[in-house]
Amino acid sequence: MILVTGATGNVGRQVVGQLLAAGVPVRALARRPEAAGLPAEVEVAAGDLAEPDTLAAALTGVEAVFLIWPFLTTEGAPGVLDAVTAHTDRVVYLSSSRVRDDVDRQGDPISGLHAGMEGVIAKSTAAWTFLRAETIASNALGWAGQIRESGVVRGPDLAAKPVVHERDVAASAVRVLTEDGHAGATYVLTGPEVVGRADQVRLIGAAIGRTLRFEPVPVAAARARMLADGRPPALVDALLAGADAPAETPLITTTIRDLTGTPARSFETWARDHRPDFS
């Protein structure tokens, strides 16, 4: 039995589905099981990572945990790890490729959070595996409203990245959750090519048969708009993390192919897979 946290999110749902397809018993953690919307074959257990005392029933009998941390700080994480390791020592954590091992201080809030979580997990008794994922392609689903309404996506023109399909992240997670030999390993997961936001929008347009356009917005203006919309400053900082940083040459890895035997999917493939979300 494998427990999947974040099971109602883009990556978590894929992990659940792929574990089911592989014939592996899977349990999903949800604050509101009745609203999870997961396949009937999935055992959905009530629990909240913000309240470690609620996790015991969900953890009973599990052999491994896929951990997605949904908060902006590591507060509460030691209690969650204590609860997890009381039942199993096998933890696979979805981290970020932004984490740097060669610095004392990470460069932005996102990498700082994930580095902090990796530290908490490493200090526990868990036999951990870290999956450091590059920008996940499903973030582009946030553009669906703009695409339907005007065909113009407006936002900060963040640095181009080798964005990674959520199915490939999930496939990698399933391998390390169900195979031995991954304890203490850190894997960097990327897509096969570097794709900027304008090209992502263009490829979505090609997939749905429409001409779409990306319109860059200055980072300061995007931040002001997010704050005016009532988003918490910490969340705004996280969403725009690294936007003002100098561009670095992105790293493309073959890790997904090495783990799963299948090359990483392109953003073009992702756009075709998600046609209904933009139409």
Side-chain angles (χ1 to χ4, degrees):
M1 177 67 72
I2 292 175
L3 178 67
V4 177
T5 73
T8 60
N10 293 317
V11 174
R13 283 187 184 276
Q14 285 290 329
V15 174
V16 168
Q18 292 186 38
L19 285 169
L20 283 179
V24 179
V26 57
R27 182 181 296 157
L29 183 73
R31 285 177 293 178
R32 295 191 300 128
E34 71 281 359
L38 293 167
E41 303 92 327
V42 179
E43 180 184 338
V44 184
D48 189 340
L49 292 176
E51 301 178 32
D53 291 344
T54 68
L55 302 177
L59 287 163
T60 299
V62 305
E63 296 183 11
V65 173
F66 180 63
L67 179 61
I68 294 178
W69 190 247
F71 309 113
L72 295 175
T73 75
T74 59
E75 183 179 359
V80 169
L81 266 296
D82 287 344
V84 168
T85 54
H87 295 269
T88 180
D89 65 353
R90 195 163 183 171
V91 175
V92 176
Y93 174 62
L94 182 59
S95 186
S96 169
S97 65
R98 296 182 186 181
V99 174
R100 296 277 300 273
D101 293 319
D102 57 347
V103 298
D104 294 326
R105 182 182 178 86
Q106 300 297 320
D108 60 69
I110 292 294
S111 57
L113 168 65
H114 286 294
M117 280 299 299
E118 289 185 7
V120 170
I121 295 167
K123 289 176 183 176
S124 74
T125 59
W128 50 264
T129 306
F130 298 146
L131 299 180
R132 291 182 178 171
E134 186 49 89
T135 301
I136 297 175
S138 56
N139 289 352
L141 293 172
W143 300 335
Q146 295 185 72
I147 287 173
R148 293 194 199 98
E149 291 169 9
S150 67
V152 179
V153 173
R154 297 177 176 86
D157 193 10
L158 304 181
K161 299 287 185 180
V163 293
V164 59
H165 199 308
E166 64 272 12
R167 288 187 181 179
D168 290 329
V169 176
S172 301
V174 168
R175 284 302 179 101
V176 301
L177 284 163
T178 58
E179 296 178 347
D180 292 329
H182 300 287
T186 297
Y187 298 116
V188 179
L189 310 178
T190 78
E193 58 192 355
V194 175
V195 189
R197 287 189 152 195
D199 282 334
Q200 291 177 43
V201 172
R202 177 182 58 79
L203 289 167
I204 293 169
I208 64 175
R210 291 178 59 195
T211 299
L212 306 179
R213 178 167 57 88
F214 179 74
E215 184 177 294
V217 172
V219 173
R223 176 176 280 109
R225 181 52 187 262
M226 290 178 180
L227 293 172
D229 288 342
R231 299 191 187 189
L235 176 59
V236 172
D237 288 343
L239 292 173
L240 296 177
D244 297 319
E248 297 181 356
T249 301
L251 171 70
I252 296 176
T253 71
T254 61
T255 307
I256 289 169
R257 184 189 65 196
D258 298 340
L259 285 173
T260 70
T262 301
R265 295 169 173 88
S266 67
F267 190 87
E268 182 178 11
T269 297
W270 181 90
R272 291 198 301 266
D273 289 344
H274 287 272
R275 285 190 192 101
D277 296 305
F278 297 100
S279 301

